[in-house]
């Protein structure tokens, strides 16, 4: 357990930040799952619409530091390619 006031404060800050970041990652996963589901059904317009909504969420995750920027770019690129291939 923390012995200093500053250490206690850091514990509180870390707990708050962890909670917020978990919520962010969960939200991103939900948006990705919607895109994956739309791709699996083969509906190109629904997949494109879901992708359009997921894109800013992923970029926000990168800017907030919960995901690496290259990870986000890779995911978006691969999803985009799969949507284009639907025909």
């Amino acid at each position: 357990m923390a012995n200093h006031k500053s250490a206690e404060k850091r514990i509180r800050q870390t707990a708050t930040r962890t909670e917020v970041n978990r919520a962010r990652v969960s939200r991103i996963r939900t948006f990705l799952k919607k895109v994956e589901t739309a791709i699996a059904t083969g509906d190109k317009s629904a997949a494109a619409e879901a992708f359009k909504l997921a894109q800013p969420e992923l970029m926000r995750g990168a800017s907030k530091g919960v995901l690496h920027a290259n990870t986000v770019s890779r995911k978006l690129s691969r999803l985009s390619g799969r949507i284009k291939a639907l025909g």
Side-chain angles (χ1 to χ4, degrees):
M1 199 60 217
N3 291 320
H4 298 278
K5 263 190 174 331
S6 60
E8 289 172 352
K9 181 176 178 180
R10 292 304 298 170
I11 289 170
R12 289 195 307 271
Q13 288 176 327
T14 302
T16 305
R17 194 177 307 113
T18 301
E19 194 177 325
V20 169
N21 287 343
R22 277 194 186 144
R24 281 190 181 122
V25 171
S26 174
R27 185 174 164 87
I28 289 168
R29 283 194 192 126
T30 303
F31 275 88
L32 285 176
K33 195 177 288 185
K34 287 177 183 174
V35 178
E36 292 286 349
T37 306
I39 290 172
T41 59
D43 187 356
K44 188 171 184 173
S45 61
E49 193 61 38
F51 180 76
K52 208 178 284 187
L53 293 173
Q55 198 168 359
E57 287 297 325
L58 280 157
M59 295 310 289
R60 193 171 298 121
S63 68
K64 296 294 183 182
V66 294
L67 293 173
H68 196 278
N70 290 355
T71 302
V72 171
S73 294
R74 183 181 67 245
K75 284 182 184 293
L76 289 174
S77 175
R78 288 179 181 174
L79 284 173
S80 177
R82 286 169 62 194
I83 291 169
K84 284 180 184 174
L86 283 176

